[in-house]
């Protein structure tokens, strides 16, 4: 999945235009020892691979077949991709928090975008990638007349949002379980399903809203963590989570992206059964 990650990362940075004026919420979580240990692990592992394979190549390059050399170079490239991914993610959080991310809303067809992101992620056939996963997409058209769900959104940022949510659904659920992606119109009558901790103006629910759901049948999230996982560096303290690489930044970035779109994001989950991430976006 690394080439796809890299492409998405590079798309966002250094975009011309005015900085977004939206004041993003900032949490004051300090980097704790556990997080620093995760960061050093995320940096040290690919670095060790790059160093190890480069040393092998330098020491034995006369004796290695071209296939062996090619394999070593592939491992070096994949380690470099991983390293770039971690560094880019840190940079991305820093850019959001310094209000440097440029917001370019355009009229986009969200259903088309979902298909494109899924296809891109499945095409990128990395060993632990999403290519073999069944992804069920159920997209409700906006009206009977139109197949399209046109919303005003920043295409690059929305691609990132989908990428992070799908990547988590993939990382935290067994390979054989499908992931469901659904879009529908959000009914104000369903406002009692929103968690109490979400802050929004009641007028928000009176406008046409698109609801996007990404549902997995994975390890699930304990109820007491459903709010905090959107804060920086927060990961659920389950043995199963600790087996999966990550820094606890993807959902923070999702929260920032949704805030720029004046939307809402939250998760519901049953431990051991699966999780659903909901995103509400203004649809006019
Ligand atoms: P990362 O995935 O890099 O750890 P995120 O900010 O994307 O960081 O997610 C924070 C934490 O929320 C994860 O570490 C995991 O504990 C939990 N989480 C996120 N998505 C899911 C999911 N689909 N299923 C189970 N747990 C999840």
């Amino acid at each position: 999945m690394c080439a796809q990650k890299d492409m998405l990362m590079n798309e966002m940075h250094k975009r011309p235009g005015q900085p977004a004026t939206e004041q993003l919420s900032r949490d004051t979580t300090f980097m704790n020892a556990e997080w620093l240990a995760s960061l050093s692990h995320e940096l040290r592992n690919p670095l060790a691979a790059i160093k190890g394979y480069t040393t092998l190549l330098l020491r034995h390059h006369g004796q290695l077949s071209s296939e062996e050399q090619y394999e070593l170079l592939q491992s070096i490239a994949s380690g470099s991709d991983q390293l770039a991914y971690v560094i880019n993610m840190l940079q991305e959080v820093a850019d959001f928090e310094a209000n440097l991310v440029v917001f370019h809303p355009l009229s986009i067809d969200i259903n088309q975008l979902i298909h494109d992101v899924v296809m891109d992620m499945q095409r990128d056939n990395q060993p632990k990638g999403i290519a073999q996963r069944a992804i069920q997409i159920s997209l409700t058209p906006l009206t009977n007349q139109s197949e399209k769900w046109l919303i005003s959104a920043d295409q690059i940022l929305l691609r990132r949002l989908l990428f992070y949510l799908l990547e988590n659904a993939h990382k935290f659920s067994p390979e054989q379980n499908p992931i469901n992606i659904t879009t529908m119109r959000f009914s104000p009558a369903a406002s009692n399903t929103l968690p109490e901790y979400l802050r929004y103006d009641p007028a928000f629910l009176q406008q046409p809203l698109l609801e996007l759901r990404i549902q997995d049948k994975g390890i699930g999230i304990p109820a007491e963590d459903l709010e905090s996982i959107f804060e920086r560096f927060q990961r659920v303290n389950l043995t199963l989570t600790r087996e999966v690489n990550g820094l606890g930044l993807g959902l923070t970035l999702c929260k920032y992206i949704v805030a720029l779109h004046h939307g809402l994001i939250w998760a519901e989950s049953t431990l051991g059964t699966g999780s659903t991430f909901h995103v509400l976006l203004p649809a006019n």
Side-chain angles (χ1 to χ4, degrees):
M1 213 176 293
C2 280
Q4 166 70 7
K5 280 177 183 167
D6 253 13
M7 197 182 80
L8 286 162
M9 290 290 180
N10 293 334
E11 273 179 335
M12 195 191 86
H13 289 294
K14 314 284 181 282
R15 295 166 65 201
Q18 295 300 310
T21 51
E22 188 82 12
Q23 188 61 39
L24 296 164
S25 70
R26 283 147 212 237
D27 65 278
T28 50
T29 317
F30 290 100
M31 294 184 199
N32 58 28
E34 200 184 332
W35 187 81
L36 285 172
S38 303
L39 176 61
S40 97
H41 170 89
E42 296 282 321
L43 295 173
R44 194 160 1 91
N45 274 5
L47 189 60
I50 294 168
K51 275 186 77 172
Y53 294 128
T54 310
T55 308
L56 262 178
L57 264 176
L58 288 172
R59 202 172 285 161
H60 302 289
H61 74 102
Q63 298 111 290
L64 293 171
S65 68
S66 54
E67 287 81 29
E68 285 168 330
Q69 289 188 32
Y70 182 75
E71 264 180 42
L72 290 176
L73 286 170
Q74 267 194 325
S75 303
I76 292 169
S78 139
S80 316
D81 284 344
Q82 275 177 42
L83 217 45
Y85 180 63
V86 175
I87 292 164
N88 283 335
M89 207 152 183
L90 292 167
Q91 179 67 53
E92 200 182 336
V93 172
D95 284 351
F96 266 107
E97 299 195 354
N99 221 15
L100 291 177
V101 173
V102 181
F103 182 50
H104 279 311
L106 289 174
S107 178
I108 60 166
D109 178 356
I110 181 83
N111 291 343
Q112 183 62 50
L113 190 95
I114 290 169
H115 279 293
D116 291 350
V117 171
V118 170
M119 262 178 55
D120 284 352
M121 288 177 81
Q122 292 197 315
R123 202 169 24 228
D124 202 353
N125 203 359
Q126 293 290 315
K128 286 187 183 164
I130 213 162
Q132 306 309 322
R133 168 85 65 169
I135 301 187
Q136 291 159 1
I137 307 181
S138 154
L139 308 173
T140 315
L142 177 57
T143 64
N144 291 341
Q145 283 79 42
S146 166
E147 286 298 302
K148 293 183 176 177
W149 242 120
L150 290 178
I151 62 167
S152 171
D154 185 308
Q155 177 155 337
I156 292 170
L157 293 178
L158 269 202
R159 285 176 69 93
R160 307 294 288 279
L161 171 83
L162 280 164
F163 176 84
Y164 289 132
L165 293 177
L166 278 171
E167 194 189 38
N168 277 347
H170 178 61
K171 279 198 309 192
F172 295 109
S173 64
E175 187 91 39
Q176 67 278 11
N177 293 356
I179 296 170
N180 293 312
I181 308 177
T182 318
T183 60
M184 69 201 79
R185 187 182 272 277
F186 181 78
S187 152
S191 62
N192 58 351
T193 60
L194 300 182
E196 277 176 14
Y197 58 78
L198 283 183
R199 296 273 160 268
Y200 58 89
D201 180 342
F204 171 76
L205 297 179
Q206 300 313 315
Q207 60 185 324
L209 290 168
L210 164 87
E211 180 176 0
L212 165 71
R213 288 185 192 169
I214 298 197
Q215 183 187 37
D216 65 62
K217 296 178 178 20
I219 62 171
I221 302 164
E224 64 271 21
D225 293 315
L226 286 173
E227 184 178 3
S228 63
I229 48 170
F230 291 94
E231 301 304 329
R232 274 199 259 146
F233 317 138
Q234 296 301 312
R235 306 193 79 214
V236 173
N237 200 11
L238 295 175
T239 319
L240 285 167
T241 310
R242 277 183 259 116
E243 286 168 7
V244 175
N245 285 6
L247 288 171
L249 293 177
L251 290 179
T252 307
L253 289 166
C254 290
K255 184 177 75 171
Y256 290 163
I257 292 170
V258 171
L260 276 183
H261 287 83
H262 303 283
L264 293 175
I265 182 167
W266 74 97
E268 61 174 324
S269 186
T270 308
L271 210 50
T273 301
S275 311
T276 304
F277 283 78
H278 301 254
V279 178
L280 287 190
L281 295 173
N284 47 11

